[in-house]
Amino acid sequence: MNLDIRPLKEEDYEDILCKWWKEWNWTSPPSREFLPNNGTGGYIVYDGDTAIVAGFLYDTNSSVAWCDWIISNINYTDRTNRKEAIEFLINTITEYARGLKKQYMYANNTSQPLINIYKNLGYKQGSTSITELIKTL
């Protein structure tokens, strides 16, 4: 596996991300306006020429950065490589936040496999009504 990561481009929202959200049976994709930098405030991971996973980084006016909207290519079926790509994505977003001098990373999620990845990367579980994952940087 040859993982590479790059910042999201404007065309990725329509060409890749909306398709993935629909394939995962989301009622509707989050609108561009809801996403950081109008849908370009995140990263996408590739295995060669195949896009695997993407996610976003919200920069706040506090010591907290927020990782959210992680979505993957449902047709990429190698679970081991998908997990590695998700870890690579979260670690990259975390390091970018560290470079912004953030002290904490925040994430919330309902997907237990994704929650487990966050925990394995050092995030601590907050409330259980919605799972919050927080990492001190």
Side-chain angles (χ1 to χ4, degrees):
M1 179 170 64
N2 181 25
L3 291 181
D4 191 24
I5 193 165
R6 67 162 172 80
L8 288 167
K9 299 176 185 175
E10 187 161 335
E11 60 270 17
D12 293 333
Y13 179 81
E14 288 293 334
D15 294 348
I16 299 172
L17 303 180
C18 286
K19 178 182 169 205
W20 287 356
W21 281 311
K22 289 175 186 170
E23 289 173 344
W24 281 105
N25 295 319
W26 286 46
T27 307
S28 63
S31 68
R32 282 183 181 273
E33 296 80 20
F34 194 83
L35 299 169
N37 297 331
N38 204 33
T40 63
Y43 297 88
I44 189 164
V45 177
Y46 281 82
D47 179 3
D49 293 332
T50 304
I52 305 173
V53 64
F56 293 87
L57 171 66
Y58 287 85
D59 184 7
T60 72
N61 63 355
S62 68
S63 294
V64 178
W66 182 1
C67 180
D68 208 348
W69 302 108
I70 292 181
I71 189 70
S72 66
N73 180 346
I74 199 168
N75 298 309
Y76 188 86
T77 57
D78 186 321
R79 292 179 186 262
T80 301
N81 288 355
R82 179 193 307 270
K83 181 176 183 262
E84 188 176 328
I86 293 169
E87 290 171 348
F88 183 41
L89 173 68
I90 293 171
N91 279 329
T92 299
I93 289 172
T94 301
E95 287 306 309
Y96 188 81
R98 189 183 316 265
L100 295 173
K101 306 295 185 204
K102 299 300 179 178
Q103 295 177 17
Y104 303 96
M105 281 297 299
Y106 174 83
N108 61 26
N109 210 283
T110 57
S111 165
Q112 195 58 53
L114 189 51
I115 291 166
N116 291 340
I117 290 172
Y118 275 108
K119 286 181 177 180
N120 288 338
L121 295 175
Y123 286 69
K124 306 295 180 206
Q125 186 167 329
S127 70
T128 56
S129 57
I130 184 164
T131 302
E132 298 174 330
L133 301 141
I134 303 162
K135 183 173 184 173
T136 301
L137 303 179

